[in-house]
Amino acid sequence: MATIRDIAKITGFSITTVSRVINGHPYVDEQKRAAILAVMEELDYKPNKIAQKLSSGKTYNIGVIVPFVNHAFFDGILNGIMEEAFAQKYKVTLLPTNFDRKLELEYLEEFAAKGFDGLIVITRANHIETFYPYMEKGPIVFCENSTGTAVPFVAIDLVGSVTASINYLKEQGVKRLGLTLGRSKRLSCNSVNTIAKAKELFPNFSEADIYWDCIKAQDGIPAAAFFKERGIDGVITNGDEIAAMILNQYPHGTAPIVIGQENLLISQMLHFSSVEFHLDQCGKEAFRLFQERKQEQIILPYELIIRE
């Protein structure tokens, strides 16, 4: 198997010059580059990618911390991240936590040990201050609204969308508002903001009308039973698949007004209102902040799509 030394000997150029050509260094005479490339092709020389990465100090691998996969919201952001990453010749390593704080810390330690060039955190299990020491090791970008901190983030405008959704339900004459939210053991920033906005805009809203731990589509079945029992006539859900499952549990013409999220195909087929968050754009912007080492804080616009 040919080595750099073999190529240098045949071409008469230094090992340093050959190495620069192999690694795509721009400051090499074009005649020298052509001669070295020709010999590399003749010898069927294949650069050692691992050695190249070690030499450059880069892994060309970005880690993405995510609670779990196969979830429309997270998948939407992941699609954007992967599209940009692949275009820039980066690998993407998914780091699912299932909201396990200890596991998330293990991923952070792996990052600190140079396992990844950077991290994108779609949703975190630990307090954001836990990430601060690790941000000295390399870029970490968040996909949650982290206003009030100095961390870079790209987030959906959840507060704006909840405000628009509640105002629409009030206009439709809704008397009792229900919500579906995710994890109940440790409230996310999104849940806290949603509840605060519901209390502000819907004076009769009660936290007793929240169906918690609603994450997967099947969770919409017990959620519907919960809302039926409580006489809820308007529901803001945390996902189109959950919204669709809730609506499916009601006899025709008896369902509350339900608003979903993500504007998936199912919301169009079943003709219920939803919020378009442009999740792929969130992922693309997050990767850009990582790659450019930018400290920007971005909140993306939303669109409330009303289907009556």
Side-chain angles (χ1 to χ4, degrees):
M1 182 179 294
T3 67
I4 290 180
R5 291 183 182 276
D6 295 330
I7 297 170
K9 185 177 181 179
I10 294 172
T11 60
F13 299 123
S14 68
I15 291 176
T16 300
T17 300
V18 173
S19 178
R20 286 179 175 176
V21 171
I22 291 173
N23 290 293
H25 197 286
Y27 303 116
V28 178
D29 179 84
E30 287 305 314
Q31 288 185 338
K32 292 181 180 179
R33 187 189 303 278
I36 291 170
L37 289 174
V39 172
M40 287 173 57
E41 183 176 357
E42 182 181 343
L43 297 178
D44 194 26
Y45 175 79
K46 298 293 189 296
N48 186 322
K49 296 297 184 182
I50 295 176
Q52 283 182 295
K53 290 175 181 178
L54 289 174
S55 175
S56 68
K58 288 186 176 182
T59 66
Y60 291 94
N61 186 6
I62 184 166
V64 180
I65 292 179
V66 61
F68 34 76
V69 292
N70 296 326
H71 184 285
F73 183 87
F74 302 133
D75 285 351
I77 297 176
L78 282 171
N79 287 338
I81 293 172
M82 289 190 291
E83 183 176 337
E84 287 299 301
F86 294 163
Q88 300 301 323
K89 310 300 182 184
Y90 269 81
K91 293 193 299 182
V92 176
T93 299
L94 300 184
L95 307 171
T97 66
N98 198 28
F99 294 114
D100 184 324
R101 297 186 189 183
K102 183 178 179 181
L103 180 57
E104 187 173 82
L105 284 172
E106 290 178 7
Y107 292 146
L108 288 173
E109 287 297 322
E110 187 175 352
F111 168 61
K114 306 299 182 184
F116 314 103
D117 290 341
L119 291 177
I120 294 178
V121 183
I122 294 184
T123 297
R124 54 188 167 77
N126 288 281
H127 193 281
I128 196 165
E129 292 181 357
T130 305
F131 291 80
Y132 291 170
Y134 296 94
M135 296 182 73
E136 298 176 3
K137 307 295 183 180
I140 300 179
V141 179
F142 297 83
C143 292
E144 292 182 314
N145 190 328
S146 302
T147 301
T149 73
V151 306
F153 70 79
V154 184
I156 62 174
D157 186 1
L158 183 75
V159 171
S161 72
V162 170
T163 299
S165 297
I166 291 176
N167 286 335
Y168 170 73
L169 291 178
K170 289 170 67 175
E171 292 170 1
Q172 299 306 303
V174 168
K175 302 300 181 184
R176 191 162 183 176
L177 174 67
L179 302 175
T180 67
L181 294 175
R183 50 188 169 139
S184 60
K185 292 182 180 179
R186 183 177 180 274
L187 298 190
S188 68
C189 181
N190 286 346
S191 293
V192 171
N193 289 334
T194 299
I195 295 169
K197 189 56 64 174
K199 289 181 176 179
E200 174 190 340
L201 298 177
F202 214 95
N204 295 328
F205 175 73
S206 169
E207 288 192 38
D209 291 334
I210 300 174
Y211 187 80
W212 286 102
D213 299 311
C214 205
I215 298 172
K216 300 178 181 179
Q218 292 300 314
D219 296 331
I221 297 175
F226 174 84
F227 292 136
K228 286 178 183 179
E229 182 180 347
R230 302 189 68 80
I232 302 297
D233 59 344
V235 181
I236 297 175
T237 72
N238 54 335
D240 276 352
E241 292 179 342
I242 292 169
M245 192 63 75
I246 290 173
L247 288 168
N248 192 52
Q249 306 309 305
Y250 285 83
H252 181 70
T254 66
I257 301 175
V258 176
I259 299 178
Q261 286 184 11
E262 299 131 16
N263 191 32
L264 301 179
L265 178 61
I266 195 168
S267 68
Q268 301 173 40
M269 295 179 65
L270 297 183
H271 203 71
F272 61 83
S273 300
S274 185
V275 179
E276 173 61 74
F277 283 125
H278 306 288
L279 297 175
D280 62 331
Q281 190 62 32
C282 182
K284 291 178 181 180
E285 286 292 294
F287 186 85
R288 180 183 66 81
L289 293 188
F290 148 73
Q291 192 171 41
E292 297 178 2
R293 306 304 196 259
K294 292 289 184 68
Q295 293 297 310
E296 298 176 22
Q297 296 186 336
I298 302 170
I299 297 180
L300 297 174
Y302 68 91
E303 182 182 359
L304 176 60
I305 300 174
I306 299 300
R307 299 184 177 99
E308 298 178 341

